[in-house]
Amino acid sequence: MEDLSFVPELPSGPLDVYRNNASFNWKRLKLALEGDFDLLKLKYKIWRTLEKDPLFAHSPITLPVEEQKRITQLQLKKINEYKFIPKEMFNASYSKRTRTIMTINEAVQSLNPSVSVKMAIGIYLFSNALLSLGTERHLKFYEATIKHREILASFSLTEIAHGSDARLMRTTATYDPSTREFVVHTPDFEAAKCWVGNLGRTCTHTLLFAQLITPDGTNHGLHGFVVPIRKPDTLETYPGLIVGDMGEKIGVNGIDNGFIMFNQYRIPRENLLNRTADVTEDGTYESSFSEPSRILGAALENLSAGRIGIMQESCHSLSSAVTIAVRYAATRTQFGERDRETPLIEYELHQWRLFGYVSAAIVFRLYIDLFAHTYLNIVEKSNAGHRVDNLSEAVSEIHAMVSSSKPLLTWTTLRAAQQCREACGGHGYLKCANLGDIRSNHEPTVTYEGDNNVLSQQAGNWLLRQYEAAIAGKPVDSPLGTVAFLKDLRTIKDRTFTCKTTKELKDPQFIISTYKWLLCWMLKYTHEKNEANLSQGLTKVQARTKSQVYRWKTLTKVYAEYITLVFCLDNIDKKERELQPMMLKLFCLYGLWSLDENLVELYQGGFAKGEECARLVRDSVLELCGEVKNEIVSVADALAPTDFVLNSVLAKSDGKLYQNLQKAFFSHPGVFERTPWWRDVVPASKL
Amino acid sequence: MEDLSFVPELPSGPLDVYRNNASFNWKRLKLALEGDFDLLKLKYKIWRTLEKDPLFAHSPITLPVEEQKRITQLQLKKINEYKFIPKEMFNASYSKRTRTIMTINEAVQSLNPSVSVKMAIGIYLFSNALLSLGTERHLKFYEATIKHREILASFSLTEIAHGSDARLMRTTATYDPSTREFVVHTPDFEAAKCWVGNLGRTCTHTLLFAQLITPDGTNHGLHGFVVPIRKPDTLETYPGLIVGDMGEKIGVNGIDNGFIMFNQYRIPRENLLNRTADVTEDGTYESSFSEPSRILGAALENLSAGRIGIMQESCHSLSSAVTIAVRYAATRTQFGERDRETPLIEYELHQWRLFGYVSAAIVFRLYIDLFAHTYLNIVEKSNAGHRVDNLSEAVSEIHAMVSSSKPLLTWTTLRAAQQCREACGGHGYLKCANLGDIRSNHEPTVTYEGDNNVLSQQAGNWLLRQYEAAIAGKPVDSPLGTVAFLKDLRTIKDRTFTCKTTKELKDPQFIISTYKWLLCWMLKYTHEKNEANLSQGLTKVQARTKSQVYRWKTLTKVYAEYITLVFCLDNIDKKERELQPMMLKLFCLYGLWSLDENLVELYQGGFAKGEECARLVRDSVLELCGEVKNEIVSVADALAPTDFVLNSVLAKSDGKLYQNLQKAFFSHPGVFERTPWWRDVVPASKL
């Protein structure tokens, strides 16, 4: 057994009564959820280090946005100096190296999400893009960014009037052979690049996506360019640029999101990222698809890595939110009989409000652990030039998985943060409860790196293609096996609900098999609507647009629930035997709690008839809530970061709720002082 | 026709294309929603006045919390000075006067919610409580508060460890006959009063609820006392008090929520609010239920008025949120075919995401308009000493209506604000979009004045009592008629779904009649579960606790949907004929969009079988979305306050989305400056 003594013991206190009832060791669960001993150790090392550093101390009040940006920048520099990436990592495998970077990002994100975004965009996204889109001549930028940390970069894609639809971006880069330069230009404010993290105040360079136009006037579409923005030593912007900060946002105000307009701004020809295409000195456009497999691998990485990172961070936000609400529920009493008050966690309604989200946190972490592993192995093989069977099909399937599960994970986390706040009542509304900040900082994930609704449509496209193959009797393209079951389409769709007891439902096989039926039916239902639309003369785009609600959108959500369940189940099988019974209970809870949201489809599609199905699914959910009650505080302990990182007055691991609240209240700056503006309060003199 | 020229015309612009397609005059709808010409005029007068006053100018950044408190206090004083209550109002009927005060509160709330809370608690709630709980000897406090505005008060009920369960409050007021004083005492921090608005920094007096203990040691339960907190002329707290501010919250930071501990703090005997009970000078407790009907009326008012106010303010927040999202959807284009981009509002998915909430805004406003009217008339009659038939039954029914519809309205608004933010994409995440602040400031309404989940249970209690009467063949106690249909229980529960076309569903009678079936079935389902629990030997409390999820909770939600629909329908009937077709469409949209959430129960209970019901309900929702599309921008115009009050860069009434965004960005303080902390960004010298 690994030595987990680096994970601090939990102080004894009011939570013991529940902790003592758990069937498992919470530290073993923590390790199982992290999936890697070294990475767990690294995470705790980072948290210990930053806890000792005054620069990372929490402020009891929200600082002015400019001050948040300054501190975020200082924290980023400090993290660079700490060199948390072990030296040997630079020679480790791609997969190991990437997981290490992701772990550092997660550890930092749970403390200050702005720092991790700043780092992810300004260093990793930029340098990865240089590797995958650029060539030898861009290595100098790469080294200056990741090795010397002299460049802090940004990523300019979105325009004021165009977000999701990248095709219609209007910023141009026109080649001028007379000076061998590209002339970058923004036609008007609507084409200003915006939402560019790090651009508002700090970055020195940006990775710009603009329409490449050759001297003959041909538009060759969006291409990437490295564009200098500020002098690295004085941070003054260059002439020809209008660069500004976008001002205050709902959250992540440590990030300086900026906008930029280019006025015939010239950059060297060499700044075009020219792996897939180049412009010769005289202005001829040359496309070079010489290494298709490597390009595919690179494309895969660029598309999905950021979204996988978002899902991992979501899992952490979800874990923090449920930890706060569970610990509060176990220590807060309200009502009761004969003047013995009852802890909130004993109420069935309170269990139902929270435990589904706790189970989601476990299922999501086990899903993302296995999925990231699978994904990184494929990229690694492809990057190393090894043959990957069905690479292009795998890329498509991975894209569908990411495009459906990023919405599921980020939306579930957003709902969870809200439910947890409400479950902590008024005290949950205090800033020092931290649920507000967790929520506000998490919120943009449902919009950025692909708006959830737009992403879902892309997953749906892939799913319908597979379904159409299956009904035509052709094999499906599913190297990762997520829709392999479509070969049994005919037998699956004949299934009906025949259970008589909740015991039959609280079984992973029932859940998986019901999801397969549900997917087959949703595919049929969506496909038929789409075909009906087409046969009415609608264009392909119109037909799809008119079959989103209740069809496409539901389909991709059901698919996401299914793949998280399947990957989670596979992963449980790899974990310690002692943990498995509890994990399987939480698996069933999440599965049935999710199926509950799909009951209408089960009835509509004829899987269920009569009252049993709805009643048994819901009774099972409530029974499972009761069954996991004694595990749930220890599950939260395993999900939780350290008290310093969790930063919630309601949920310190000592469980001393009211002592901690009193300390927080009594130590607010000026709490007992007469307010300095008291003269503004007393009634104006009547003289 | 009334002269509505005081409502400013809308500037011509990109929104005209939709405005021109509306079937009705938006100003007439605005008047219909307000329900009273004078009140609409007053609202605009207030908005015009405050727009011209620099003290009410919006800040582009969130101010430090102390500064927010100071400005809120100044704004309150300024509003007092403006004397918006017309002089003749002091002699007007109770109902007219209260609606005027509510309108002023609404007008102010949509500009700065903290001011309206400060005013509602510090002046109106306090002075109303003095009238209803106090006697002649408390008139001096009343006059000082509402007439001279020398007292700013607060309301101390909740304790650190007890929120929803008022019985167990532990603050005591023990009578000392030797000095004829009450000695107020807080045993420990857990019994400190908290969440008291105005207490943290500003109030001079508080209305305290404490356990009254007579010299013989008997505890007579919670009673109200007027307790001095700060010297009115210096704002210093009195010795014997520990008073502090609770610090930053998720929103409404203009309110100084405070906590207080009393250390054997003495107040005069006369400060007991003694309408229902008193303590004689020598310490004898005397209860005086001499005027039961007036006491009931007063109780009714205290319980419900605050919650009705919250519902009205919710409607305003909901209206603002949907206005922003609808105007954005009509001016923002994305994707399309053959390079003609499509406004978001044309996408079925986008319509479905927003239009249900727009219809909710209309239904809720028409519900609350009629309900407040009904409610105030009853209170007025009762206060005036007129006989009100079945007053005590009416009080119970009103309490059930408020306890179920306050959760429905506040939760729907919260979900709407979130959906509207997401529907505005990244730009919705900007502070200057105002959706974040609308949401954060609205959020506490789901917790305060009765936590939504706790309130729902109270409504459920009343409903089950009525059901039990009905199945026993006794008459139901429903003076307002909300469950009068229970007399037809037997015939209603035999109904089934027999429609074949969406036309049959898009009919108010179908919706109301389906809701009646749903209520009867939910009552039966909840009642049976409760009885089964009891027969298993559970106590009454346990039995109820174990039948919340999927039963009690769903039941009260369905009841709330039903009463909002019924009252709305009655109110539509009173409105101008020209508006009715559009109103009925929105009524049907809201009704079917809500029924969609109850489809499982329709199947489970046997109302629906096969695929038709779900398909037809959902097809109807989508058809109605398409049918109201051309009305929706004008509906939003009717729901919207002025541009100044709406304060959203995304939704000015001129529809010039990008010009307004550019102006907002370019005028941010310091937007184009090099950041003052640039030295913290450039790499540290290597020397």
Side-chain angles (χ1 to χ4, degrees):
Chain A
M1 287 269 213
E2 304 88 342
D3 174 12
L4 293 172
S5 60
F6 64 87
V7 179
E9 294 301 316
L10 297 167
S12 186
L15 291 166
D16 291 353
V17 52
Y18 289 104
R19 283 174 179 151
N20 293 339
N21 284 328
S23 72
F24 64 96
N25 179 305
W26 67 277
K27 285 192 183 181
R28 304 304 305 170
L29 176 58
K30 188 177 275 289
L31 175 60
L33 295 173
E34 192 68 40
D36 184 300
F37 178 77
D38 292 335
L39 293 180
L40 184 62
K41 207 164 172 178
L42 174 60
K43 204 174 248 181
Y44 273 83
K45 182 187 160 191
I46 295 170
W47 286 341
R48 266 197 321 274
T49 308
L50 302 185
E51 183 169 358
K52 285 185 200 145
D53 186 335
L55 184 59
F56 291 84
H58 299 291
S59 164
I61 54 165
T62 302
L63 298 171
V65 293
E66 274 299 310
E67 180 63 5
Q68 288 185 52
K69 287 174 193 166
R70 190 180 74 89
I71 287 183
T72 299
Q73 177 67 31
L74 289 173
Q75 290 183 344
L76 175 64
K77 283 177 80 174
K78 201 65 179 286
I79 287 167
N80 285 339
E81 286 164 30
Y82 278 125
K83 297 192 194 308
F84 287 122
I85 306 182
K87 277 226 182 68
E88 65 272 22
M89 229 15 100
F90 287 101
N91 301 316
S93 70
Y94 166 82
S95 168
K96 183 92 185 168
R97 200 171 68 236
T98 307
R99 292 211 79 156
T100 303
I101 289 172
M102 284 176 162
T103 299
I104 295 171
N105 237 13
E106 280 171 52
V108 171
Q109 187 265 350
S110 48
L111 203 50
N112 178 353
S114 292
V115 181
S116 78
V117 174
K118 205 164 185 63
M119 183 160 66
I121 296 171
I123 298 171
Y124 300 121
L125 183 63
F126 182 67
S127 51
N128 275 338
L130 291 175
L131 287 187
S132 58
L133 302 175
T135 54
E136 303 67 36
R137 68 191 193 209
H138 304 110
L139 272 179
K140 61 177 179 183
F141 295 116
Y142 179 80
E143 304 238 309
T145 307
I146 202 152
K147 230 182 213 168
H148 310 309
R149 309 273 158 133
E150 288 168 354
I151 285 182
L152 183 72
S154 63
F155 195 87
S156 299
L157 174 61
T158 298
E159 293 177 359
I160 293 283
H162 291 101
S164 295
D165 191 357
R167 283 181 310 122
L168 296 182
M169 299 296 171
R170 289 166 59 231
T171 305
T172 51
T174 308
Y175 186 66
D176 176 356
S178 69
T179 59
R180 298 178 193 160
E181 288 170 322
F182 283 101
V183 184
V184 181
H185 192 67
T186 307
D188 52 40
F189 178 74
E190 293 184 29
K193 295 291 178 186
C194 65
W195 285 108
V196 184
N198 297 346
L199 177 64
R201 293 293 189 213
T202 51
C203 78
T204 55
H205 293 71
T206 197
L207 175 59
L208 172 77
F209 287 87
Q211 307 283 355
L212 190 162
I213 296 172
T214 39
D216 60 357
T218 310
N219 183 343
H220 299 275
L222 279 190
H223 286 68
F225 302 83
V226 175
V227 181
I229 302 294
R230 289 181 176 91
K231 280 193 197 161
D233 49 352
T234 68
L235 229 62
E236 286 167 307
T237 54
Y238 294 109
L241 303 178
I242 297 176
V243 187
D245 190 277
M246 294 177 77
E248 187 172 335
K249 296 149 296 182
I250 291 177
V252 287
N253 276 303
I255 287 289
D256 49 320
N257 290 93
F259 62 93
I260 187 166
M261 297 176 74
F262 301 92
N263 183 12
Q264 310 289 355
Y265 184 72
R266 290 175 172 265
I267 56 170
R269 170 181 157 274
E270 291 75 21
N271 286 20
L272 169 65
L273 295 176
N274 61 333
R275 178 173 291 278
T276 59
D278 206 346
V279 172
T280 60
E281 291 194 357
D282 65 355
T284 311
Y285 183 83
E286 290 182 340
S287 175
S288 60
F289 284 99
S290 59
E291 301 167 280
S293 79
R294 290 199 62 171
I295 290 165
L296 265 173
L300 165 65
E301 188 186 340
N302 278 323
L303 281 169
S304 300
R307 289 168 192 160
I308 291 177
I310 287 174
M311 287 193 264
Q312 288 177 319
E313 294 180 357
S314 258
C315 288
H316 270 258
S317 302
L318 175 57
S319 300
S320 293
V322 298
T323 298
I324 295 169
V326 164
R327 286 183 179 163
Y328 184 79
T331 48
R332 171 84 170 177
T333 61
Q334 205 79 177
F335 296 104
E337 288 189 281
R338 284 165 255 112
D339 290 350
R340 277 197 51 204
E341 295 180 86
T342 309
L344 300 182
I345 204 171
E346 299 291 335
Y347 289 102
E348 194 174 76
L349 176 59
H350 211 82
Q351 294 168 5
W352 178 76
R353 290 167 68 187
L354 294 182
F355 293 0
Y357 291 112
V358 179
S359 68
I362 297 291
V363 169
F364 291 171
R365 283 177 79 147
L366 290 169
Y367 159 69
I368 204 75
D369 175 46
L370 184 56
F371 176 56
H373 196 78
T374 312
Y375 163 80
L376 290 173
N377 281 344
I378 292 176
V379 177
E380 179 165 302
K381 270 195 196 171
S382 152
N383 282 356
H386 293 307
R387 198 185 130 64
V388 179
D389 288 340
N390 305 313
L391 178 60
S392 117
E393 290 77 11
V395 169
S396 299
E397 186 167 16
I398 286 171
H399 184 63
M401 293 175 73
V402 169
S403 303
S404 60
S405 57
K406 183 249 181 188
L408 176 68
L409 268 62
T410 54
W411 268 329
T412 304
T413 299
L414 194 60
R415 291 205 329 259
Q418 180 58 31
Q419 185 62 260
C420 291
R421 198 299 285 161
E422 292 181 31
C424 293
H427 297 333
Y429 195 64
L430 292 167
K431 176 181 167 67
C432 58
N434 203 19
L435 289 163
D437 286 341
I438 288 173
R439 197 196 163 289
S440 299
N441 291 325
H442 171 73
E443 181 169 336
T445 64
V446 308
T447 299
Y448 64 39
E449 287 282 313
D451 176 89
N452 278 1
N453 281 296
V454 176
L455 275 186
S456 299
Q457 294 180 24
Q458 297 178 9
N461 289 344
W462 181 82
L463 283 167
L464 278 200
R465 276 208 308 281
Q466 305 316 312
Y467 178 75
E468 282 157 13
I471 54 177
K474 293 181 203 152
V476 294
D477 288 332
S478 180
L480 281 82
T482 64
V483 293
F485 63 86
L486 282 177
K487 69 177 174 2
D488 305 321
L489 190 57
R490 270 157 231 278
T491 55
I492 291 174
K493 74 185 167 75
D494 291 339
R495 284 185 200 153
T496 55
F497 182 83
T498 55
C499 300
K500 295 289 168 208
T501 63
T502 53
K503 189 161 174 291
E504 296 164 75
L505 278 74
K506 295 187 286 184
D507 173 350
Q509 287 324 310
F510 167 80
I511 294 166
I512 296 290
S513 124
T514 305
Y515 262 99
K516 284 181 182 166
W517 180 91
L518 192 56
L519 270 170
C520 290
W521 186 77
M522 282 306 311
L523 279 162
K524 173 170 172 286
Y525 190 58
T526 306
H527 170 76
E528 285 175 357
K529 175 75 178 178
N530 199 45
E531 293 295 309
N533 287 343
L534 288 171
S535 72
Q536 281 169 26
L538 298 188
T539 65
K540 261 180 89 166
V541 172
Q542 289 166 337
R544 198 172 63 176
T545 299
K546 283 275 199 184
S547 45
Q548 291 297 323
V549 188
Y550 302 123
R551 276 93 173 176
W552 221 286
K553 187 175 161 70
T554 311
L555 166 65
T556 53
K557 177 170 174 289
V558 168
Y559 172 67
E561 288 165 357
Y562 171 73
I563 58 174
T564 51
L565 284 165
V566 168
F567 272 64
C568 168
L569 199 57
D570 281 359
N571 207 353
I572 289 177
D573 205 41
K574 301 180 205 297
K575 301 294 177 185
E576 289 174 33
R577 194 168 293 266
E578 287 68 28
L579 298 171
Q580 291 183 1
M582 170 271 302
M583 283 179 163
L584 287 171
K585 276 213 169 123
L586 291 169
F587 171 93
C588 288
L589 175 53
Y590 176 73
L592 291 162
W593 182 74
S594 300
L595 264 184
D596 184 11
E597 286 182 36
N598 300 306
L599 281 173
V600 173
E601 286 74 20
L602 295 183
Y603 277 101
Q604 192 183 354
F607 179 80
K609 283 190 180 64
E611 58 85 41
E612 292 91 352
C613 182
R615 179 171 53 81
L616 288 173
V617 166
R618 292 174 164 188
D619 283 355
S620 304
V621 168
L622 294 178
E623 283 178 22
L624 284 165
C625 283
E627 290 170 29
V628 300
K629 188 196 75 187
N630 284 331
E631 311 276 28
I632 216 86
V633 170
S634 290
V635 170
D637 290 336
L639 289 168
T642 63
D643 284 356
F644 168 68
V645 174
L646 189 60
N647 189 28
S648 173
V649 69
L650 302 185
K652 295 207 183 296
S653 56
D654 64 10
K656 293 176 179 165
L657 172 60
Y658 298 117
Q659 292 181 34
N660 290 319
L661 260 175
Q662 182 169 14
K663 179 168 172 289
F665 285 177
F666 279 41
S667 60
H668 274 143
V671 59
F672 296 124
E673 280 172 29
R674 178 168 62 165
T675 178
W677 39 271
W678 64 272
R679 288 175 191 84
D680 294 333
V681 184
V682 299
S685 161
K686 274 155 207 155
L687 292 177
Chain B
M1 285 268 213
E2 304 88 341
D3 175 11
L4 292 172
S5 60
F6 63 87
V7 179
E9 294 301 317
L10 296 168
S12 186
L15 291 166
D16 291 353
V17 52
Y18 289 104
R19 284 176 179 151
N20 294 339
N21 284 327
S23 71
F24 63 96
N25 178 306
W26 67 276
K27 285 191 183 181
R28 305 302 307 170
L29 177 58
K30 187 178 275 289
L31 176 61
L33 295 175
E34 192 67 39
D36 185 298
F37 178 77
D38 293 334
L39 294 180
L40 184 63
K41 208 163 171 179
L42 175 60
K43 205 175 248 181
Y44 272 83
K45 182 187 161 195
I46 295 171
W47 287 340
R48 265 196 322 272
T49 308
L50 303 185
E51 184 169 359
K52 286 185 200 147
D53 186 334
L55 183 59
F56 291 84
H58 299 291
S59 164
I61 54 164
T62 302
L63 297 172
V65 293
E66 273 300 309
E67 181 63 5
Q68 287 185 53
K69 286 173 193 166
R70 189 180 76 89
I71 287 182
T72 298
Q73 177 66 31
L74 290 173
Q75 290 183 343
L76 175 64
K77 282 176 80 172
K78 201 67 179 284
I79 287 168
N80 285 340
E81 286 165 28
Y82 278 124
K83 297 193 195 305
F84 287 121
I85 305 182
K87 276 227 182 69
E88 66 273 20
M89 235 6 107
F90 287 103
N91 301 317
S93 71
Y94 166 83
S95 169
K96 185 91 185 167
R97 200 172 66 235
T98 307
R99 291 210 81 157
T100 304
I101 289 173
M102 284 176 162
T103 300
I104 295 172
N105 238 12
E106 279 170 54
V108 171
Q109 187 265 349
S110 48
L111 203 51
N112 177 356
S114 292
V115 181
S116 79
V117 174
K118 206 166 183 64
M119 183 160 66
I121 296 172
I123 298 171
Y124 300 120
L125 183 62
F126 183 68
S127 52
N128 275 338
L130 291 176
L131 286 187
S132 58
L133 302 175
T135 54
E136 302 68 36
R137 69 191 193 209
H138 304 109
L139 272 179
K140 61 177 179 182
F141 296 115
Y142 179 80
E143 304 238 309
T145 307
I146 202 150
K147 232 182 215 168
H148 310 308
R149 307 273 158 134
E150 289 167 352
I151 284 182
L152 183 72
S154 62
F155 195 87
S156 299
L157 175 60
T158 299
E159 295 177 0
I160 293 283
H162 292 99
S164 296
D165 190 357
R167 283 181 310 123
L168 296 181
M169 299 296 173
R170 289 165 59 231
T171 305
T172 52
T174 308
Y175 185 68
D176 177 356
S178 69
T179 60
R180 297 179 194 160
E181 290 171 320
F182 284 101
V183 184
V184 181
H185 191 66
T186 306
D188 52 41
F189 178 73
E190 293 184 30
K193 295 291 178 186
C194 65
W195 285 108
V196 184
N198 296 349
L199 177 63
R201 293 290 189 216
T202 50
C203 77
T204 56
H205 294 70
T206 197
L207 175 58
L208 172 76
F209 286 88
Q211 307 284 353
L212 189 161
I213 296 172
T214 40
D216 60 359
T218 310
N219 183 343
H220 300 274
L222 279 191
H223 286 68
F225 303 83
V226 176
V227 181
I229 303 293
R230 291 182 175 87
K231 279 191 200 165
D233 48 353
T234 68
L235 229 62
E236 285 167 307
T237 54
Y238 293 109
L241 302 178
I242 297 176
V243 186
D245 190 277
M246 291 176 79
E248 186 172 338
K249 295 149 296 183
I250 291 176
V252 286
N253 276 303
I255 287 290
D256 50 320
N257 290 94
F259 62 92
I260 186 166
M261 297 175 74
F262 301 92
N263 183 12
Q264 309 289 354
Y265 184 72
R266 290 175 171 266
I267 56 170
R269 171 181 156 275
E270 291 75 21
N271 287 22
L272 169 65
L273 296 176
N274 60 333
R275 178 174 290 277
T276 59
D278 207 348
V279 173
T280 60
E281 292 195 356
D282 65 356
T284 310
Y285 184 84
E286 288 180 345
S287 177
S288 58
F289 284 99
S290 57
E291 299 169 282
S293 79
R294 293 199 59 170
I295 289 165
L296 265 173
L300 165 64
E301 188 186 339
N302 279 322
L303 281 169
S304 299
R307 290 168 191 158
I308 291 177
I310 288 174
M311 286 193 265
Q312 287 177 319
E313 295 181 355
S314 259
C315 289
H316 271 258
S317 302
L318 176 57
S319 300
S320 293
V322 298
T323 299
I324 295 169
V326 164
R327 287 185 179 162
Y328 184 79
T331 47
R332 171 85 171 177
T333 61
Q334 206 79 176
F335 295 104
E337 289 189 279
R338 283 165 255 114
D339 291 349
R340 277 198 49 205
E341 295 181 85
T342 309
L344 298 182
I345 205 171
E346 299 291 335
Y347 289 102
E348 193 174 76
L349 175 59
H350 210 82
Q351 294 168 3
W352 178 76
R353 289 167 67 187
L354 295 181
F355 293 0
Y357 291 112
V358 179
S359 67
I362 297 291
V363 170
F364 291 170
R365 283 176 79 149
L366 291 170
Y367 159 69
I368 204 75
D369 176 46
L370 185 55
F371 176 56
H373 197 76
T374 311
Y375 162 80
L376 291 173
N377 282 345
I378 292 177
V379 178
E380 179 165 301
K381 271 197 198 170
S382 152
N383 282 356
H386 294 307
R387 197 185 132 65
V388 178
D389 287 339
N390 305 315
L391 179 60
S392 118
E393 290 76 12
V395 168
S396 299
E397 186 168 17
I398 286 172
H399 184 65
M401 293 176 72
V402 169
S403 303
S404 59
S405 57
K406 182 249 178 188
L408 177 68
L409 269 62
T410 54
W411 268 328
T412 304
T413 300
L414 193 61
R415 288 202 334 257
Q418 180 59 30
Q419 186 62 260
C420 291
R421 198 301 283 161
E422 293 182 30
C424 293
H427 296 333
Y429 195 63
L430 291 167
K431 177 182 167 64
C432 57
N434 203 19
L435 289 164
D437 286 342
I438 288 174
R439 196 196 164 289
S440 298
N441 291 326
H442 170 73
E443 181 169 337
T445 64
V446 307
T447 299
Y448 65 38
E449 288 282 314
D451 176 89
N452 279 0
N453 281 297
V454 176
L455 276 186
S456 299
Q457 294 180 25
Q458 298 178 10
N461 289 343
W462 181 82
L463 284 167
L464 278 200
R465 276 206 309 278
Q466 305 314 312
Y467 178 74
E468 283 157 14
I471 54 176
K474 294 181 202 151
V476 295
D477 288 332
S478 181
L480 282 82
T482 62
V483 293
F485 63 86
L486 281 178
K487 68 178 174 359
D488 305 320
L489 190 57
R490 270 155 233 277
T491 55
I492 290 174
K493 74 184 165 79
D494 290 338
R495 285 186 199 151
T496 54
F497 183 83
T498 55
C499 300
K500 297 288 169 208
T501 63
T502 54
K503 189 162 174 290
E504 296 164 76
L505 277 73
K506 294 186 286 183
D507 173 348
Q509 288 324 311
F510 167 79
I511 293 166
I512 297 290
S513 125
T514 305
Y515 262 100
K516 284 180 183 165
W517 180 91
L518 192 55
L519 269 172
C520 290
W521 186 77
M522 281 308 309
L523 280 163
K524 173 170 173 285
Y525 190 58
T526 306
H527 171 75
E528 285 175 356
K529 175 74 177 179
N530 200 44
E531 293 295 309
N533 287 343
L534 288 171
S535 72
Q536 281 169 25
L538 297 188
T539 65
K540 263 180 89 165
V541 173
Q542 288 166 339
R544 198 174 62 178
T545 299
K546 283 277 198 183
S547 47
Q548 291 298 322
V549 188
Y550 302 123
R551 276 94 174 176
W552 221 286
K553 187 174 162 70
T554 311
L555 166 65
T556 53
K557 177 171 174 289
V558 169
Y559 173 67
E561 287 165 359
Y562 171 72
I563 58 174
T564 51
L565 284 164
V566 169
F567 273 64
C568 170
L569 198 57
D570 280 1
N571 207 353
I572 289 176
D573 205 40
K574 302 180 203 296
K575 302 294 177 186
E576 290 172 34
R577 197 168 292 265
E578 287 67 28
L579 298 170
Q580 292 183 0
M582 170 271 304
M583 284 179 165
L584 286 171
K585 277 214 170 121
L586 291 169
F587 170 93
C588 288
L589 176 54
Y590 176 73
L592 291 162
W593 182 72
S594 300
L595 264 185
D596 184 10
E597 286 182 37
N598 301 306
L599 281 174
V600 173
E601 285 74 20
L602 296 183
Y603 278 102
Q604 191 183 353
F607 179 79
K609 283 189 179 63
E611 59 85 42
E612 291 90 352
C613 182
R615 178 170 53 80
L616 288 172
V617 166
R618 293 174 165 187
D619 282 356
S620 305
V621 169
L622 294 178
E623 283 177 24
L624 284 164
C625 282
E627 290 170 28
V628 300
K629 188 197 75 187
N630 284 332
E631 311 277 29
I632 217 85
V633 169
S634 291
V635 171
D637 290 337
L639 289 167
T642 63
D643 284 356
F644 167 69
V645 174
L646 189 61
N647 188 29
S648 174
V649 69
L650 302 184
K652 296 207 184 295
S653 56
D654 64 10
K656 295 178 177 164
L657 173 59
Y658 298 117
Q659 291 181 35
N660 290 319
L661 260 175
Q662 181 169 14
K663 179 168 173 290
F665 285 177
F666 279 41
S667 60
H668 274 143
V671 58
F672 296 123
E673 281 171 30
R674 178 168 63 164
T675 177
W677 40 270
W678 64 272
R679 289 175 190 83
D680 295 331
V681 184
V682 298
S685 158
K686 274 155 203 151
L687 292 176

